[in-house]
Amino acid sequence: MAEFVYDIRDLKFIIKEWLNMEEIFNLEKFKDNYGMDDIDLILDEAYKIAREVIFPINKEGDRIGVKFENGRAKLPPGYVEAYKFLQENGWGSANESLASETAMPLTLYRAYNEMFIAASPALMSYVKLTTGAANLIYRFGTDKDRKLFLENMLSGKWSGTMCLTEPNAGSDVGDATTRAYPTDDPRIYKIKGTKMFITGGEVDLGENIIHMVLARPEGGAPGSKGLGLYIVPKIWVNDDGSLGEPNDVTCIAIESKMGLKASATAMLSFGENDNCRGILVGDPPDSEGRSKGLAMMFHMMNESRIGTGHNALAQMAAAYYFASRYAAERIQGRPFTNPKAERVPIIKHADVRRMLMEMKAQVEAIRAMVFRGFYYLDIAEYSKDREKAARYRGFADILTPLIKTYASETAWQMVALAIQVHGGVGYTEEYPVSQYARDVKILSIWEGTSFIQAMDLVGRKMRMKDGLPFASWLDERKEFIEQNKDADGFVAEMRKLEKAYQCVAEIKDIYASYYANIAEKGELIPLYALRVLTCCAQLFAAESLMDQALVARRKIEELGVNHHDYTYYAGKITTAKYFINNILPNVYMLADQIKEADKSALECPEEALVIG
Amino acid sequence: MAEFVYDIRDLKFIIKEWLNMEEIFNLEKFKDNYGMDDIDLILDEAYKIAREVIFPINKEGDRIGVKFENGRAKLPPGYVEAYKFLQENGWGSANESLASETAMPLTLYRAYNEMFIAASPALMSYVKLTTGAANLIYRFGTDKDRKLFLENMLSGKWSGTMCLTEPNAGSDVGDATTRAYPTDDPRIYKIKGTKMFITGGEVDLGENIIHMVLARPEGGAPGSKGLGLYIVPKIWVNDDGSLGEPNDVTCIAIESKMGLKASATAMLSFGENDNCRGILVGDPPDSEGRSKGLAMMFHMMNESRIGTGHNALAQMAAAYYFASRYAAERIQGRPFTNPKAERVPIIKHADVRRMLMEMKAQVEAIRAMVFRGFYYLDIAEYSKDREKAARYRGFADILTPLIKTYASETAWQMVALAIQVHGGVGYTEEYPVSQYARDVKILSIWEGTSFIQAMDLVGRKMRMKDGLPFASWLDERKEFIEQNKDADGFVAEMRKLEKAYQCVAEIKDIYASYYANIAEKGELIPLYALRVLTCCAQLFAAESLMDQALVARRKIEELGVNHHDYTYYAGKITTAKYFINNILPNVYMLADQIKEADKSALECPEEALVIG
């Protein structure tokens, strides 16, 4: 089996040399617990865990998958143990959750967590969901709820889930039909309905599963505004914290999926015997039947959507690293420019280099975007400078759909390249890359499809607060360009970046004009939304890499070309150049298409579009 | 289970209304056996077989896969029966093989065969390999060989394989180390070596398996020119046609693959006990140790590579059709321009339409390319007009790498869209689209990777015969543009097509200059080869759709807008417009990149490119 390797150097570059981590460590929330000196120790130890504890269970987990018998799901070998190891030793939810006093900055937590995801995406889905459920209880539950649930969730004794989707309400969660009926106790409701695609909905990870369930209270308003949020333990938790009766939550099925086979995706029935109790989170419905259930769930949305992008990044990165090592070791063919020479490792072939470079550029660009996102979230959440916090909240809001969608869509292309570099063996399950292809595909769908993200961008993020945050975000791009347009060695690249900036600025105006004339132009808004998102994402990605290249150049000037880190920094510079010359031009092409506004996709007769 | 549907209308359009099939049916080889009147009958019956015989075994075949025990492979339920049904009833090799007197034109055979592939890619791999092996024996074997093997192969009694790849010789087949030792009988050699990735290398399809094996005769020259070709039956065939002793061919393993799980991909050991006999095909090595084994195998290369592209097309088409039906039926969300309205089928959402349109455009464009390829092959093989035959052979040579690579690379994007249209259920194995994603990925690797195809284009096809065939191919593109540039309703699209043509013409000159100055520019040749290929492919694809749109417009003028076929033709017109406005501009972007010739992928330090 190929050994798990990861680019810990790039992670360290991001949080030690690129982002202003001092600023984050100086925040009240963190300053007593973490500092710059901890970074190497934490990352090095986590890398060891990823290699020795997590990656070894990944392939068998995929092969064996989750077994479902008599309503019980059994995880593949090693999953429960690895989960407990992470949670009990404080490598999981306890380091991430808002509920934890010693939680790390997201920027730091996510740096090591990325290696864990790369080592087993399925395993880490359980940690993520438990953290998410705990965060909801922490943020919106009562003191009693916190006391009853949080400690056991963060320590790995219990796991958690989020229950939104129903068979007839997926993207359109507002159409959910699960109901909540009041009881004599104003905080207790009887829950009845079916939820599907529940990650960890039925697992043997711990003694209990705490479901966070969206349901419509009796008399609730229609649509998403009528949905309430309920804590629904699989086994009732008594007031003294002991476990009570089973709570009438039944697992109907575990989905058979293309990938993530060690992640138990459950269909759950709540209240089949009218005996499922849920604890209301937040206020009961107001006089017009409105509840804040969805709003509460969406409160965590930035983090979980950026997290989904991060998940995609971790997987494509791992696939790239495996491919890079394979390319360095596999001997095949002779140099194009010297066909009489000895056979060479395939990395000597130009197209293999191109593929590796493409992966490296996308991986490092997306990693840069993702960590800027987490950085903004850390500041927004904990900075006392409320103006800055608000500004960064706005940036995080804007980046969220870009990261989620650009990462998950790009991952599909990158894992294909990783397979391609491997040739025939890449298609076999003996090598690890095909599993990443299968595991990663869900990420463009869950946490809101790419289209939902694109509409979030053009319909909300570009327009919120009269468009000021987006304008301010664009100004920051412009400022970077103005400051660096004469940067030595990068003048051509900076010119291309500027052109991409102008494209996005123009797109912003075009979309504003569509919204101003929605009767005539409205249909173009969703038609080109995903292309708008891609343009924004690639502009930001290119700038982020360019910014890193400037840091790398300074480092080279400082350390000289004989320093052991020279190749890393030199690679960073070529990576930025590659991205700007070979990937960024896509923005110009898409911008032209947005301007031309061809409507053939709308004009095609539906009968011609649907076959059979 | 979703029902299998296929766009039989588009297949009929291609061979009844678009290509000049009369010309093919008038060829000596076909004129007594087939005519225009047979098309509907054959396609309709084949569609029925695809739906009723083939598709029903596809999902179970994927789930159960090939079982390998005690050296024997067992296909999943229904595979042997379906194979025999096709072969015995003349729907398989007997209709395709050169060896068959009643073989159909490829253009006709492939039209119905496409539906079979779409219904079960794994099943059809066995038919394809058997045909390929039979073609080799027919073309290069002796009368005795033909008599001993062909009838049983074409009738489904025996199956066939092609054995090229070895553990250390994949893309670089010339490094094969399997040996052939002469015996007293000058036509019989002892074979010794290991071959891998042999489709159907060990199966229970029939009583015998006929392996066509590349091996280096003792004293053979190094590299590909030293390789000979041998018929190696799994069970020896006596001179009277009866089966003799087992021939010392051992299956060591069946690969566990990402997809195509019902296709047995074997690793075979020949001559473990020094008792494996092979029959020499063609001449023994000449005085310099040169044999024509690889040349013989490559003789079938155009057909098999275009066939690989066709395979990719069939799969992405099926995935699109499933997605289109799902989009028409699945109710979710409300119209963007009228959010208070009732929920609608998701096809009403602009981005879903865009995804369907993208799939339709790519599918129909690639199908058009593929069938022009088969059309050229039919004429090239059988026309008495030798000048025309040679010209079309040249066109087929040029199209082969374009089709193989553009189809297989595009398929990966298209199946992702098909999954995306399905949302979460697309990721489950309950729906058929994720299987296509897993099945289709191998096609960018086998029969020569995308890079090999790209180098075949720029290194051989653009340069063969002093570049005349490629120039003539380009002239044909130009001629189409000149003839139709004022076509009513398409003026803007024709202008874009012309721009793409100019890009390709310029690229041709750039590459000629690289070859003229290989010392300085040589490294750019492989670096941009795949992009050159994509430009050529998209130009040809766009023109093919445009040509179809012109036919469609004539049909509409003829039949009027109330004719039941109107929506089909109207769809054809919007499809051409969509492709040209939304896909073709990629050519301009890539052409700019080729011109700019950024070398960062070559300049990046190898240490920075390889992680771990």
Side-chain angles (χ1 to χ4, degrees):
Chain A
M1 192 168 75
E3 203 186 345
F4 180 80
V5 290
Y6 211 80
D7 193 355
I8 194 167
R9 182 69 190 84
D10 201 51
L11 291 168
K12 289 181 179 177
F13 173 79
I14 284 181
I15 58 174
K16 290 173 68 182
E17 302 173 68
W18 184 51
L19 295 178
N20 184 2
M21 276 302 284
E22 304 267 12
E23 182 185 7
I24 289 176
F25 286 137
N26 283 332
L27 295 169
E28 193 65 32
K29 166 82 178 173
F30 305 117
K31 73 179 163 56
D32 293 337
N33 295 320
Y34 301 101
M36 292 302 285
D37 293 345
D38 300 319
I39 295 175
D40 281 349
L41 204 71
I42 290 169
L43 263 62
D44 292 344
E45 182 62 22
Y47 190 19
K48 201 161 169 279
I49 293 171
R51 292 165 72 103
E52 294 173 9
V53 178
I54 302 178
F55 186 67
I57 64 173
N58 192 46
K59 187 193 280 202
E60 274 296 276
D62 178 59
R63 196 179 63 79
I64 294 172
V66 178
K67 301 289 182 201
F68 182 59
E69 273 172 25
N70 304 321
R72 293 301 177 112
K74 189 172 155 37
L75 296 191
Y79 272 73
V80 173
E81 294 78 1
Y83 179 80
K84 293 218 175 277
F85 176 88
L86 296 182
Q87 296 288 51
E88 288 172 3
N89 291 291
W91 287 100
S93 302
N95 265 342
E96 184 184 17
S97 173
L98 301 168
S100 167
E101 276 185 29
T102 58
M104 291 181 177
L106 274 175
T107 325
L108 176 58
Y109 173 76
R110 280 293 185 161
Y112 79 77
N113 175 259
E114 182 178 316
M115 296 187 281
F116 291 179
I117 297 171
S120 175
L123 175 69
M124 298 314 291
S125 69
Y126 299 122
V127 176
K128 184 79 204 96
L129 267 293
T130 299
T131 305
N135 280 354
L136 278 177
I137 294 173
Y138 171 76
R139 177 82 71 168
F140 302 108
T142 61
D143 282 345
K144 183 181 161 188
D145 298 335
R146 295 177 185 194
K147 198 152 156 270
L148 276 188
F149 296 106
L150 291 180
E151 192 185 323
N152 284 335
M153 292 174 77
L154 299 188
S155 70
K157 209 168 158 192
W158 299 346
S159 60
T161 81
M162 312 277 252
C163 302
L164 287 81
T165 302
E166 300 181 4
N168 283 305
S171 289
D172 201 352
V173 67
D175 283 308
T177 59
T178 295
R179 305 298 298 268
Y181 301 94
T183 66
D184 292 342
D185 182 337
R187 290 205 61 235
I188 304 295
Y189 285 66
K190 289 260 177 147
I191 308 295
K192 200 172 172 61
T194 303
K195 294 284 179 181
M196 71 186 292
F197 294 151
I198 310 307
T199 300
E202 165 56 35
V203 276
D204 52 345
L205 283 173
E207 293 165 18
N208 203 2
I209 305 173
I210 312 304
H211 303 290
M212 304 302 293
V213 179
L214 280 184
R216 197 178 309 280
E218 218 180 12
S224 56
K225 66 181 180 299
L227 296 173
L229 177 63
Y230 305 85
I231 306 170
V232 183
K234 181 185 174 187
I235 303 170
W236 191 252
V237 180
N238 298 320
D239 284 358
D240 64 358
S242 63
L243 294 183
E245 297 283 297
N247 192 27
D248 195 13
V249 181
T250 318
C251 178
I252 305 168
I254 297 287
E255 301 287 347
S256 172
K257 307 187 301 299
M258 178 185 184
L260 277 187
K261 288 177 187 288
S263 173
T265 306
M267 183 178 284
L268 297 179
S269 173
F270 294 91
E272 266 188 0
N273 303 305
D274 292 326
N275 207 14
C276 176
R277 286 179 288 173
I279 302 164
L280 175 67
V281 180
D283 299 325
D286 68 12
S287 60
E288 292 174 44
R290 289 176 305 203
S291 289
K292 293 215 160 71
L294 196 62
M296 288 185 275
M297 273 212 172
F298 274 35
H299 199 87
M300 309 297 168
M301 206 38 105
N302 277 341
E303 188 194 336
S304 63
R305 285 182 170 173
I306 295 178
T308 296
H310 194 213
N311 187 333
L313 180 266
Q315 294 193 51
M316 73 175 105
Y320 157 47
Y321 305 145
F322 281 116
S324 78
R325 294 222 313 170
Y326 185 83
E329 288 162 11
R330 168 75 173 171
I331 309 288
Q332 191 85 175
R334 291 165 174 79
F336 172 72
T337 46
N338 185 8
K340 302 271 183 209
E342 288 295 295
R343 303 173 91 196
V344 291
I346 61 172
I347 195 171
K348 301 292 182 193
H349 302 311
D351 196 60
V352 172
R353 284 191 79 98
R354 177 194 63 81
M355 291 191 276
L356 295 176
M357 195 72 218
E358 178 87 15
M359 287 187 272
K360 182 178 173 67
Q362 294 281 19
V363 161
E364 293 183 15
I366 293 170
R367 183 178 288 128
M369 292 173 73
V370 165
F371 277 90
R372 287 177 94 167
F374 287 130
Y375 173 84
Y376 290 142
L377 285 181
D378 278 330
I379 303 280
E381 188 71 28
Y382 294 112
S383 176
K384 293 232 165 83
D385 179 346
R386 294 327 289 163
E387 194 188 321
K388 185 169 195 177
R391 188 150 159 267
Y392 281 12
R393 176 73 64 193
F395 288 175
D397 283 345
I398 291 162
L399 284 186
T400 296
L402 310 190
I403 291 170
K404 198 281 181 183
T405 290
Y406 188 65
S408 58
E409 294 285 351
T410 303
W412 186 247
Q413 325 299 335
M414 295 306 109
V415 293
L417 292 180
I419 292 172
Q420 193 75 17
V421 167
H422 280 79
V425 299
Y427 192 62
T428 69
E429 301 284 352
E430 196 186 332
Y431 285 73
V433 285
S434 63
Q435 185 184 342
Y436 287 111
R438 293 184 293 97
D439 284 356
V440 87
K441 189 72 221 86
I442 190 59
L443 300 178
S444 62
I445 298 169
W446 78 13
E447 293 284 347
T449 65
S450 297
F451 183 39
I452 286 180
Q453 305 299 325
M455 291 307 293
D456 179 49
L457 174 68
V458 302
R460 296 185 58 246
K461 303 308 171 56
M462 286 171 70
R463 293 159 48 74
M464 61 187 180
K465 299 176 186 167
D466 290 330
L468 289 178
F470 191 77
S472 153
W473 182 81
L474 258 189
D475 283 345
E476 212 191 49
R477 312 285 71 78
K478 193 177 178 187
E479 204 174 305
F480 176 85
I481 291 162
E482 280 173 6
Q483 275 170 5
N484 299 291
K485 66 181 174 199
D486 301 321
D488 205 21
F490 298 112
V491 173
E493 282 75 20
M494 287 304 302
R495 218 161 35 221
K496 287 187 176 170
L497 195 62
E498 187 173 13
K499 182 171 167 187
Y501 162 78
Q502 282 158 351
C503 289
V504 172
E506 198 171 351
I507 289 167
K508 169 180 155 282
D509 294 341
I510 290 172
Y511 260 66
S513 77
Y514 290 169
Y515 275 101
N517 182 9
I518 210 155
E520 266 182 50
K521 298 291 189 177
E523 62 184 2
L524 294 168
I525 291 170
L527 184 59
Y528 284 92
L530 192 55
R531 278 173 267 197
V532 173
L533 182 149
T534 303
C535 289
C536 294
Q538 291 186 323
L539 169 65
F540 190 73
E543 178 203 295
S544 299
L545 277 186
M546 191 61 227
D547 192 40
Q548 293 192 342
L550 293 170
V551 172
R553 205 190 46 184
R554 281 197 298 277
K555 292 279 179 175
I556 290 175
E557 284 162 7
E558 223 173 279
L559 304 170
V561 301
N562 296 318
H563 189 273
H564 66 88
D565 256 345
Y566 167 73
T567 52
Y568 173 77
Y569 295 122
K572 201 46 112 174
I573 288 170
T574 49
T575 301
K577 290 191 174 184
Y578 180 87
F579 193 99
I580 289 174
N581 287 305
N582 298 276
I583 298 171
L584 188 66
N586 190 50
V587 173
Y588 321 150
M589 178 177 80
L590 295 184
D592 277 344
Q593 290 177 23
I594 293 166
K595 275 186 263 182
E596 290 183 13
D598 169 67
K599 291 200 281 190
S600 44
L602 302 179
E603 285 160 1
C604 186
E606 200 164 301
E607 300 87 331
L609 215 47
V610 178
I611 306 300
Chain B
M1 191 168 76
E3 204 187 345
F4 180 79
V5 291
Y6 211 79
D7 193 355
I8 193 168
R9 182 69 190 84
D10 201 51
L11 290 168
K12 289 182 178 176
F13 173 79
I14 284 181
I15 58 174
K16 289 172 68 180
E17 301 172 68
W18 184 50
L19 295 177
N20 184 1
M21 277 302 283
E22 303 267 11
E23 182 184 8
I24 290 177
F25 286 136
N26 283 333
L27 295 168
E28 193 66 31
K29 166 81 178 173
F30 304 117
K31 72 178 163 56
D32 294 338
N33 294 320
Y34 301 102
M36 293 302 285
D37 294 345
D38 299 319
I39 294 174
D40 282 349
L41 204 70
I42 290 169
L43 263 62
D44 292 344
E45 182 61 22
Y47 189 20
K48 202 161 168 276
I49 292 170
R51 294 165 69 103
E52 294 173 10
V53 178
I54 303 177
F55 185 67
I57 64 173
N58 192 47
K59 185 193 282 200
E60 274 296 276
D62 178 58
R63 195 179 63 80
I64 295 172
V66 177
K67 301 288 180 201
F68 182 60
E69 273 172 24
N70 304 321
R72 294 302 178 110
K74 188 171 156 36
L75 296 191
Y79 271 73
V80 174
E81 295 77 2
Y83 180 81
K84 294 218 174 277
F85 176 89
L86 295 182
Q87 296 289 52
E88 288 173 2
N89 291 290
W91 287 100
S93 302
N95 265 343
E96 183 185 16
S97 172
L98 301 166
S100 167
E101 276 185 29
T102 57
M104 290 181 178
L106 275 175
T107 325
L108 176 58
Y109 172 76
R110 280 292 185 162
Y112 79 77
N113 176 260
E114 181 179 316
M115 296 187 281
F116 291 179
I117 297 170
S120 175
L123 175 70
M124 298 314 291
S125 69
Y126 299 122
V127 175
K128 184 78 205 98
L129 269 294
T130 299
T131 304
N135 280 354
L136 276 177
I137 295 173
Y138 171 76
R139 178 82 71 168
F140 302 107
T142 62
D143 281 345
K144 183 179 161 190
D145 297 334
R146 296 177 183 196
K147 199 152 155 271
L148 275 189
F149 296 105
L150 291 181
E151 192 185 323
N152 284 335
M153 291 175 78
L154 300 187
S155 70
K157 209 168 160 192
W158 299 347
S159 60
T161 81
M162 310 279 251
C163 301
L164 288 82
T165 301
E166 299 181 4
N168 283 305
S171 288
D172 202 351
V173 67
D175 283 308
T177 60
T178 295
R179 304 299 298 266
Y181 301 94
T183 65
D184 293 344
D185 182 337
R187 289 206 61 237
I188 304 295
Y189 284 66
K190 289 260 178 146
I191 308 294
K192 199 169 173 62
T194 303
K195 294 284 180 181
M196 70 187 294
F197 294 151
I198 310 308
T199 300
E202 166 54 36
V203 276
D204 52 344
L205 283 172
E207 294 165 16
N208 203 1
I209 305 173
I210 310 306
H211 302 291
M212 304 303 293
V213 179
L214 279 184
R216 198 179 309 279
E218 219 181 10
S224 56
K225 64 181 181 300
L227 295 172
L229 179 63
Y230 306 85
I231 306 170
V232 183
K234 179 183 174 187
I235 302 170
W236 190 255
V237 180
N238 298 319
D239 283 358
D240 64 358
S242 63
L243 293 184
E245 296 285 296
N247 191 28
D248 194 12
V249 181
T250 317
C251 178
I252 305 169
I254 297 288
E255 301 287 348
S256 173
K257 308 188 301 299
M258 179 185 183
L260 278 186
K261 287 178 187 286
S263 173
T265 306
M267 183 178 284
L268 297 178
S269 174
F270 294 90
E272 266 189 1
N273 303 306
D274 292 327
N275 208 15
C276 176
R277 287 179 287 173
I279 303 163
L280 175 68
V281 179
D283 298 326
D286 68 13
S287 59
E288 294 174 44
R290 290 176 305 204
S291 288
K292 293 215 161 69
L294 196 61
M296 288 186 274
M297 272 214 173
F298 275 34
H299 199 86
M300 309 297 168
M301 207 37 104
N302 278 340
E303 189 194 334
S304 63
R305 286 182 170 175
I306 296 178
T308 295
H310 194 213
N311 187 333
L313 179 266
Q315 293 193 51
M316 73 175 105
Y320 157 46
Y321 304 145
F322 281 116
S324 77
R325 293 222 314 171
Y326 185 81
E329 287 162 12
R330 168 74 173 174
I331 309 288
Q332 190 86 174
R334 291 164 174 79
F336 173 73
T337 46
N338 185 8
K340 302 273 183 206
E342 288 295 297
R343 303 173 90 196
V344 291
I346 61 173
I347 195 171
K348 301 294 180 190
H349 301 310
D351 196 60
V352 172
R353 285 191 78 100
R354 176 193 64 79
M355 291 192 274
L356 295 176
M357 195 73 218
E358 179 87 15
M359 288 187 271
K360 182 179 171 67
Q362 295 280 19
V363 161
E364 293 182 15
I366 294 171
R367 183 178 288 129
M369 291 173 74
V370 166
F371 277 90
R372 288 177 93 168
F374 288 130
Y375 173 84
Y376 291 141
L377 286 181
D378 277 330
I379 302 281
E381 187 71 28
Y382 295 112
S383 176
K384 295 232 165 83
D385 178 345
R386 294 326 292 163
E387 194 188 321
K388 185 169 193 175
R391 191 153 157 264
Y392 280 13
R393 175 73 65 193
F395 288 174
D397 284 344
I398 292 162
L399 284 186
T400 296
L402 310 191
I403 290 170
K404 199 281 182 185
T405 290
Y406 187 66
S408 58
E409 295 285 350
T410 303
W412 185 247
Q413 325 300 334
M414 295 305 110
V415 292
L417 292 180
I419 291 172
Q420 193 74 17
V421 167
H422 279 80
V425 300
Y427 192 63
T428 69
E429 301 285 352
E430 197 185 332
Y431 285 73
V433 285
S434 63
Q435 186 184 341
Y436 287 111
R438 292 184 292 97
D439 284 356
V440 87
K441 189 73 224 83
I442 190 59
L443 300 178
S444 62
I445 298 169
W446 78 14
E447 293 284 347
T449 65
S450 297
F451 183 40
I452 287 181
Q453 305 300 325
M455 290 308 294
D456 179 50
L457 174 68
V458 302
R460 296 186 57 246
K461 304 306 172 57
M462 283 171 71
R463 292 157 49 74
M464 61 187 180
K465 299 177 184 165
D466 291 330
L468 289 178
F470 190 77
S472 151
W473 182 81
L474 258 189
D475 284 346
E476 211 190 51
R477 310 285 73 76
K478 191 177 180 186
E479 204 174 305
F480 176 85
I481 291 163
E482 279 173 6
Q483 274 170 5
N484 299 291
K485 67 181 172 197
D486 301 320
D488 204 20
F490 297 112
V491 172
E493 282 76 20
M494 288 304 302
R495 219 161 36 220
K496 287 186 175 170
L497 195 62
E498 187 172 13
K499 182 171 168 186
Y501 161 78
Q502 282 158 351
C503 288
V504 173
E506 200 171 350
I507 290 167
K508 169 179 156 283
D509 293 341
I510 290 172
Y511 260 65
S513 77
Y514 290 169
Y515 276 101
N517 183 9
I518 210 154
E520 266 182 51
K521 298 291 189 179
E523 62 183 3
L524 293 168
I525 292 171
L527 184 60
Y528 285 92
L530 192 55
R531 279 173 267 197
V532 173
L533 182 148
T534 303
C535 289
C536 294
Q538 290 186 323
L539 169 65
F540 190 72
E543 178 203 295
S544 299
L545 276 186
M546 191 62 228
D547 192 40
Q548 292 191 343
L550 293 170
V551 172
R553 204 190 47 184
R554 281 198 298 278
K555 291 281 179 174
I556 290 175
E557 282 163 9
E558 222 174 282
L559 303 170
V561 299
N562 296 318
H563 189 271
H564 65 89
D565 257 345
Y566 168 72
T567 54
Y568 173 77
Y569 294 122
K572 200 48 111 175
I573 289 170
T574 50
T575 301
K577 290 190 173 185
Y578 180 88
F579 193 99
I580 290 174
N581 287 305
N582 297 275
I583 298 170
L584 188 65
N586 190 51
V587 173
Y588 320 151
M589 178 178 78
L590 295 184
D592 278 343
Q593 291 177 21
I594 293 166
K595 274 184 265 181
E596 291 183 12
D598 168 68
K599 291 201 279 191
S600 44
L602 302 179
E603 286 160 0
C604 186
E606 199 166 301
E607 300 86 332
L609 215 46
V610 178
I611 306 301

